[in-house]
Amino acid sequence: MLNHRKLAARALLAVVFWPSLFFFWFLGPFVFFLLSTTSSEVCTRLETGSEFLAAANGTIPMLAAQNLIYAIPILCLVLWDRLSPDPARARHVVTCIKLFAAAVLVGALWEYGSSLVCDGYGQPFFSPFWQMTSFLPIVSVVLNVPLYILAFSLGRAFSTREDAEDEASPPA
């Protein structure tokens, strides 16, 4: 009975993991890119530095919510690892968590920094350091490609039944 509960829990995690991985990780960035480029106004036209900073700080709750949604596949991997502990997979899950944390940090810095670059009039209010954040998408890709591959392979390994090999071979 306990084995059936574990199997049901693993199946439930697979039902959550695969759609969230596909829709949030693979399609989400394209949707956010399309929404940001189809806007009628590239930047808000603000008059003062304080208005500008307040508008940039207003993006922080959305960034936090976006990252919480993106964390769902990582949470599924952690729960799968708790259900079926395996030291080799546990190390890979920890690597996923580290890559995800670094990607979140770089992504948040890039999104926040890019909101500080343009004031609508081409006048910089803040230091040129924020203009350097335009290179962070390259760093984000360098972090996200191995993260996607590792999360996909771990998800596949966790969602595959372990007793499938036993059923495939005839009893001796």
Side-chain angles (χ1 to χ4, degrees):
M1 186 68 166
L2 182 62
N3 195 22
H4 292 292
R5 286 185 182 174
K6 269 186 151 177
L7 190 58
R10 288 178 61 189
L12 182 62
L13 284 171
V15 168
V16 172
F17 176 80
W18 290 109
S20 66
L21 186 74
F22 180 72
F23 289 112
F24 299 146
W25 282 20
F26 296 135
L27 293 181
F30 296 115
V31 170
F32 284 120
F33 177 73
L34 285 175
L35 289 175
S36 68
T37 58
T38 57
S39 163
S40 62
E41 204 172 306
V42 176
C43 302
T44 315
R45 295 187 185 268
L46 302 170
E47 299 294 329
T48 65
S50 60
E51 288 177 340
F52 192 73
L53 189 58
N57 288 339
T59 63
I60 292 174
M62 185 57 165
L63 287 173
Q66 178 182 338
N67 288 324
L68 285 175
I69 291 170
Y70 283 166
I72 291 172
I74 298 295
L75 180 62
C76 288
L77 290 175
V78 169
L79 293 174
W80 261 327
D81 189 50
R82 301 280 298 191
L83 286 172
S84 303
D86 179 9
R89 285 185 191 161
R91 284 192 301 274
H92 292 304
V93 170
V94 169
T95 302
C96 263
I97 292 169
K98 289 177 182 177
L99 283 171
F100 181 75
V104 163
L105 182 66
V106 167
L109 188 61
W110 172 57
E111 290 180 34
Y112 184 77
S114 65
S115 67
L116 288 174
V117 170
C118 179
D119 71 347
Y121 296 106
Q123 302 297 321
F125 279 124
F126 298 98
S127 112
F129 168 76
W130 291 111
Q131 294 174 348
M132 293 174 55
T133 61
S134 62
F135 295 108
L136 290 177
I138 297 167
V139 175
S140 184
V141 167
V142 168
L143 291 171
N144 280 316
V145 167
L147 173 63
Y148 289 2
I149 292 169
L150 188 58
F152 183 84
S153 64
L154 280 171
R156 186 167 178 244
F158 278 127
S159 62
T160 305
R161 286 182 53 164
E162 293 169 354
D163 59 351
E165 300 88 30
D166 298 337
E167 291 175 2
S169 61

